[in-house]
Amino acid sequence: MATQTTTDVHTARGTRRWATETRPAAKTTELIAYVAAVLAVALTALFVGDGGDGGADPFSAEQALRYITFLTIGYMVARGLAKSGTRGNDSDHDA
């Protein structure tokens, strides 16, 4: 969900329009979903299999870290795709 904002800048030569980048990552629902998923994986790894009966842990810390890595890669790809869909209209190269 990339949202692109446009800003008018008044200069001595007239009005110039440029498009800014997508919304910052902290303002997206992708970040909220990512943080919630990472917390869910971490809490599941913490609480599942701690019966203390000496059996094998069905969801180990190694698996949790693997899933968190997959979530991180997915989040980075999603942000990259969101940013790749924006175009910059800044044609003034004097600055």
Side-chain angles (χ1 to χ4, degrees), residues 10-95:
H10 300 286
T11 63
R13 292 181 278 175
T15 302
R16 179 182 70 183
R17 280 188 99 169
W18 74 57
T20 60
E21 200 172 308
T22 60
R23 283 189 288 177
K27 293 184 177 183
T28 62
T29 55
E30 293 139 349
L31 178 66
I32 296 167
Y34 169 72
V35 170
V38 167
L39 286 174
V41 169
L43 290 174
T44 302
L46 180 66
F47 291 116
V48 170
D50 283 343
D53 58 358
D57 190 3
F59 191 64
S60 66
E62 180 183 343
Q63 287 176 316
L65 287 175
R66 185 177 304 121
Y67 289 134
I68 290 172
T69 301
F70 293 155
L71 288 169
T72 303
I73 291 169
Y75 176 73
M76 290 169 48
V77 168
R79 288 302 300 161
L81 289 174
K83 289 184 179 215
S84 71
T86 62
R87 287 190 335 210
N89 295 337
D90 189 9
S91 60
D92 186 18
H93 298 292
D94 294 338

